[in-house]
Amino acid sequence: MFYWFLKWIAIGPLLRVIFRPHVEGADHVPESGPAILASNHLSYADWLFMPLTLPRRVTFVAKAEYFNTPGIKGWFQKKFFSGVGQVPIDRSGAAAAEGALSAAKRILDAGDLFGIYPEGTRSHDGKLYRGKTGVARLALVTKVPVIPVAVVGTDVVAPPGKKFGTFTRPVVRFGKPLDFSRYEGMENDRYILRSITDEIMYEIMRLSGQEYVDMYAARAKEESKRLDKEAAERAAAEAAGDQKQAS
């Protein structure tokens, strides 16, 4: 109930009036029955704008910290994330992938829509990164279609590392459902899982127009931080050298 209150009364109408999100291909999402919505991930605002363009509820998994923070703040945080259609998942430890799969399976078994970001984390530079194979395994285990989704412009509204950006009109594009029934029973074949995942990411790339990088987003972030640190150290060393020469 709280989900629909936020979507149709509290938050949704405000976002529609201010940002006027544009949607394409929403007819590719079934009016009923389970489906996996596999989307790119540019901003924390993605999980607000993508569900806003559909009449159905979309459920995501979110890190458990959003749901078990103590105190009044934690209570409101838990209510909010539950209300906007997110379920908790402990992302630490070896069982994280299994926990996410189980949570997603429950949602799909109930005939609902499940939203997932195959990249695993937000893109730090607007590029599309290699997808993790969990989405492929989920599709094979549950035998439901995968609908590729591209969200464009949310990194302008809410850039990485910032709460607010500048105004733009976000675009949400839904692609045609992808059927992987030809791979039934092969959910433990890592080559098949990689092939399916790459096909999904290709469709997302085609819809979003992003540059694709065949590297996991988390690793790319670490590499970017390392290069930035090295550049800062070189700049500091050069500045110190210049100051020494001047003196």
Side-chain angles (χ1 to χ4, degrees), residues 7-76:
K7 183 170 183 174
W8 298 115
I9 299 175
I11 296 178
L14 187 64
L15 293 177
R16 288 189 185 91
V17 170
I18 295 176
F19 294 102
R20 299 181 301 113
H22 176 72
V23 59
E24 300 174 9
D27 56 312
H28 293 312
V29 181
E31 295 181 0
S32 62
I36 299 168
L37 303 181
S39 175
N40 62 334
H41 200 11
L42 294 172
S43 165
Y44 71 83
D46 294 337
W47 54 265
L48 288 174
F49 284 105
M50 190 259 273
L52 193 65
T53 61
L54 297 172
R56 298 183 60 187
R57 175 174 178 144
V58 181
T59 303
F60 298 85
V61 291
K63 57 185 179 180
E65 295 93 302
Y66 290 152
F67 296 84
N68 55 23
T69 302
I72 297 297
K73 177 183 177 182
W75 184 86
F76 279 106

Side-chain angles (χ1 to χ4, degrees), residues 12 49 62 92 125 140 143-144 147 171 179 186 202 209 211 221 238:
F49 284 105
S92 62
D125 58 5
L140 295 185
K143 302 177 183 179
V144 304
I147 299 171
V171 177
D179 178 17
M186 305 177 75
Y202 174 81
E211 177 184 344
K221 283 183 181 180
E238 290 175 0

